[in-house]
Amino acid sequence: MRPPADAIGTLALIVGVIASLIFIGVEAALVYAIWRYRASRNLAGQPATFERNRRLEIAWTAAPALILAAVFVLTLGTMAEINGAGVAPAMRIAATGHQWWWEFGYGGTKTANELHVPVNTPIDLDLTSVDVIHSFWVPELGPKMDMLPGTTNHLRVLARRAGSYEGQCAEFCGVEHAWMRIRVVAQSQAEFDSWLAAQAVPAVTQGGDGERVFFLSNICVNCHTVRGTAAAGTAGPDLTHVASRATIGAGVLPNDVARMRAWLADPQRYKPGSLMPRVPLSDADLDALAAYLGALK
Ligand code: HEC
Ligand SMILES: [Cu+2]
């Protein structure tokens, strides 16, 4: 199957051409009428009036009806195609909206904000939300679809070429809606397999200062999971391999140790209203914590 976005693009092109032809026809008739019946031609008397021109009325009722019927049939075909057209998905990925980040589940392996997919492979995303209505939209991959609390919607996506694709929550979902970006990384099947295998591995215990701070007073671990450790919170993104992601906070900062430290020092500075509170920590603790998270590759 071709990418759903291509099917939508073709339909948009056809409708655009039809609309352009109508526009040109109407404008041409208008210009002609202005010229033909201009005042300087000084035609005598009242202009002719037309009442009950049956042929004309049938024509201007039937023509739009036929055009719309054609567009309707094409739209039904496109809808069937973007839903998969009977092609079974090669893979299902759970995608859950949170205020204001994305959770992706590959079986038991959870990750956040960065969706990895094998290239040229039909994939169904099972979309839901844990809080308000979000909407998953990566324009180059497929249509947008709402994520509703309590139900699961299915969205077919397919990436034709390897590379990264940008997306965005498309349903206003609160103050940080604008910083709810999606990054999709499409990879060859082999690259994808090794990425997923690496994500599935639990974190190794580092035993350093940063790890101690992370578990301190049960603050971070109350909200975050690091698989392989006692940290099992679910209010925030899974951090098991947080350093493997390109950005922090659903796109708000590029991901490196310096920016990680800045984020931890005050998430509210970068994402005001974000559901991660500012945790007061000493400079030394921040350094150690950023180094710990930076090693969670
Ligand atoms: C009350 C729950 C809560 C606490 C406590 C908390 N966080 Fe968070 N954290 C979140 C949420 C929610 C997000 C997502 C913020 C967003 O992107 O809008 C987040 C995001 C993050 C991110 C970015 C993850 C990503 O994928 O971009 C890191 C790193 C992080 N937290 C580390 C920590 C550390 C370290 C602590 C302890 C000092 C901590 N958090 C305490 C809820 C919490
Ligand atoms: Cu949203």
Side-chain angles (χ1 to χ4, degrees), residues 101 219-220 223-224 235 237 245 248-249 260 263-264 271 276-277:
W101 56 282
I219 297 173
C220 315
C223 294
H224 292 286
R245 305 202 262 274
I248 302 169
M260 181 60 85
W263 167 262
L264 298 172
K271 245 177 138 166
M276 168 151 165

Side-chain angles (χ1 to χ4, degrees), residues 98-101 112-113 176 179 213-214 218-224 235-239 242 245 247-252 255 260 263-264 267 271 274-277 279 281 289 293:
H98 294 253
Q99 284 176 318
W100 290 278
W101 56 282
N113 296 334
E176 283 302 339
W179 278 116
V213 178
F214 188 73
N218 281 339
I219 297 173
C220 315
V221 298
N222 218 5
C223 294
H224 292 286
D238 186 303
L239 300 179
V242 63
R245 305 202 262 274
T247 69
I248 302 169
V252 83
N255 192 1
M260 181 60 85
W263 167 262
L264 298 172
K271 245 177 138 166
S274 146
L275 299 182
M276 168 151 165
V279 180
L281 293 165
L289 195 55
L293 293 170

